């Protein structure tokens, strides 16, 4: 299978998998070519300003009303939605987990989603949920769409093939993809069992952050985002479609594949991004800038400069600052930070935070380098050093992130995480030099 993409972020694309399937000069002809049905998929209100107005016209074998029959409630007990309060007895604190193991029993992507935290309110369309996914089987005749929010998928182990109604994306560790709210898709495994992270964004969709004084280049450049070309599946076999709607799940049985869009045009579409194309900027003389300079995508809130969700990465980069404590400084923050590690080592936590692991530092809880990292950073020779073979990320939100029972009671929770700071010594002795013995 050859997977092809179109470059650009937020573009108005057009693509067809059969010649002449896409009407020209209008959206809804009386009789579309090939006997297709014209249908609009809207990602914003009709009257949203031009810069945020999102919609695509789809030309499909059957209209979406034929992709549903009578719904029946189903349970995905480990997928939780906000508000999900008082779900456990674990006390407040800084938390960290080892990787969640991939199950032995057959588990597809949908069944393998486990919610770690929830924030905000699904029905109020604000906030987010942070999940991990673990799977060892493909979704063959099962399909899904999420009415509650868009899904930002971050593979950590194994590649996935995300087959959406508007095209196919192959996404491997070191890449991410976005599946928009309401878009039908299924997930196949490319090369064996998989594990990764998901940010379910209930609020305004992800967009590129403003660069401000940085100017027109660097960070995530629009040309590096890839949207799949049109593709369709004409399959007349029993299939299932599961829907997540206001935190509950419903399933309908149909006799065909719903992935039947032959052509489409518009700006509401799935896309992928290779994190290695992110061009980081940083201090080239002294001090450590705010981690906001590593923001790949941001989902704005109604308050300027305060995100509903930020997706931030910590990629390979050079450290050159003089007379500077180079790791992230100790910090208390109004934002709540869910971190994951895709590969390598995170410079502020050289021990205990491993690929596939998770940490959570909720709003106003202090965090920063562990004792080992501090000792190393305050004594090392400050020559240029490249942090290589690493990729960590953060889902950061303005809302407090509430643990699920699954997260609070999971065996992967590290009981001793808080101890990583106990070795930080008192170095104050009343002299300007301090006690560095």
């Amino acid at each position: 299978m050859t997977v092809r993409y179109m470059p650009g972020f937020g573009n108005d694309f057009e693509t067809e998998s059969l010649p002449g399937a896409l009407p020209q000069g209008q959206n809804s002809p009386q009789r579309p070519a090939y006997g297709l049905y014209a249908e609009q998929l809207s990602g914003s209100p009709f009257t949203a300003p031009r810069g945020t107005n999102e919609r695509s016209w789809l030309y499909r074998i059957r209209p979406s009303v034929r992709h549903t029959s009578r719904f029946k409630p189903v349970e995905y007990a480990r997928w939780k939605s906000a508000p999900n309060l008082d779900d456990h007895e674990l006390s407040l604190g800084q938390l960290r987990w080892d990787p969640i193991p991939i199950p032995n029993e057959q588990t597809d992507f949908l069944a393998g989603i486990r919610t770690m935290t929830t924030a905000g309110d699904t029905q109020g369309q604000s906030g987010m949920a942070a999940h991990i996914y673990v799977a060892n089987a493909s979704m063959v005749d099962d399909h899904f769409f999420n009415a509650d929010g868009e899904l930002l998928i971050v593979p950590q182990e194994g590649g996935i093939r995300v087959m959406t109604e508007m095209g196919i994306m192959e996404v491997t560790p070191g890449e991410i993809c976005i599946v928009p709210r309401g878009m039908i898709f299924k997930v196949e495994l490319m090369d064996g069992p998989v594990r990764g992270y998901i940010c379910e964004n209930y609020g305004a969709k992800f967009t590129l952050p403003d660069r401000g004084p940085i100017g027109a280049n660097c960070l995530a450049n629009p040309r590096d985002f890839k949207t799949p070309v049109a593709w369709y599946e004409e399959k007349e076999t029993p299939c299932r479609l599961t829907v997540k709607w206001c935190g509950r799940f419903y399933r309908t049985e149909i006799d065909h594949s719903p992935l039947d869009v032959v052509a489409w045009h518009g700006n509401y579409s799935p896309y992928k991004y290779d994190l290695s194309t992110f061009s980081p900027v940083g201090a080239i003389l002294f001090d450590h800038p705010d981690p906001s300079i590593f923001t790949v995508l941001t989902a704005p809130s109604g308050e300027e400069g305060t995100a509903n969700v930020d997706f931030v990465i910590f990629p390979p980069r050079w450290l050159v600052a003089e007379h500077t404590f180079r790791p992230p400084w100790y910090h208390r923050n109004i934002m709540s930070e869910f971190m994951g590690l895709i590969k390598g080592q995170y410079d502020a936590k050289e021990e205990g935070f491993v690929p596939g692991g998770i940490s959570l530092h909720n709003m106003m809880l202090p965090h920063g380098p562990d004792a080992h990292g501090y000792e190393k950073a305050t004594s090392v020779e400050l020559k240029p050093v490249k942090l290589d073979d690493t990729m960590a990320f953060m889902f950061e939100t303005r809302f407090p992130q509430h643990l699920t029972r699954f997260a609070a009671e999971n065996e992967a929770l590290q009981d001793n995480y808080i101890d990583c700071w106990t070795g930080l010594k008192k170095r104050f002795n009343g002299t300007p030099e301090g006690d560095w013995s």
Side-chain angles (χ1 to χ4, degrees), residues 13 18 21 65 87 140 150 159 162 196 233 267 272 292 298 305 347 353 382 409 436:
F13 297 102
L18 293 176
V65 290
D87 195 28
V140 179
E150 64 181 342
V162 183
E233 183 176 61
N267 62 354
K272 62 175 281 189
S292 51
T298 184
D347 59 326
F353 189 37
L382 290 180
E409 299 180 355
W436 292 96

Side-chain angles (χ1 to χ4, degrees), residues 157-213:
E157 180 178 330
I160 56 175
R161 185 174 295 111
V162 183
M163 309 179 76
T164 80
E165 55 186 318
M166 294 175 71
I168 300 173
M169 300 178 291
E170 291 185 342
V171 193
T172 58
E175 299 178 312
I176 62 168
C177 73
I178 292 276
V179 179
R181 185 194 304 260
M183 185 160 294
I184 300 171
F185 71 100
K186 66 179 180 180
V187 173
E188 293 183 349
L189 310 190
M190 292 173 57
D191 49 15
V194 298
R195 176 173 52 221
Y197 310 85
I198 300 173
C199 178
E200 182 182 7
N201 172 25
Y202 306 143
K205 66 176 291 294
F206 280 111
T207 188
L208 295 178
D210 291 329
R211 292 189 180 100

Side-chain angles (χ1 to χ4, degrees), residues 286-314:
F286 64 88
D287 278 354
H288 189 296
D290 293 337
S292 51
I293 60 169
F294 297 119
T295 302
V296 180
L297 295 166
T298 184
S301 69
E303 183 177 347
E304 186 175 358
T306 305
N308 182 69
V309 191
D310 282 330
F311 175 63
V312 179
I313 65 170
F314 302 97

Side-chain angles (χ1 to χ4, degrees), residues 1-12:
M1 177 184 295
T2 300
V3 180
R4 296 186 297 118
Y5 304 94
M6 302 173 285
F9 187 90
N11 292 12
D12 207 288

Side-chain angles (χ1 to χ4, degrees), residues 34 69 75 78 104 141-142 159 202 239 253 370 377 385 393 424:
Y34 296 96
S69 183
E75 289 290 331
R78 291 177 174 171
N104 294 319
D141 295 316
D142 284 286
Y202 306 143
C239 292
E253 308 277 342
D370 58 24
V385 173
F393 74 89
L424 292 169

Side-chain angles (χ1 to χ4, degrees), residues 340-371:
L341 185 61
I342 299 170
K343 67 174 183 177
Q345 189 178 76
Y346 179 55
D347 59 326
K349 300 286 194 305
E350 295 190 7
E351 298 177 0
F353 189 37
V354 300
I358 299 162
S359 70
L360 176 66
H361 302 114
N362 253 311
M363 61 178 189
M364 291 305 174
L365 290 182
H367 51 282
D370 58 24

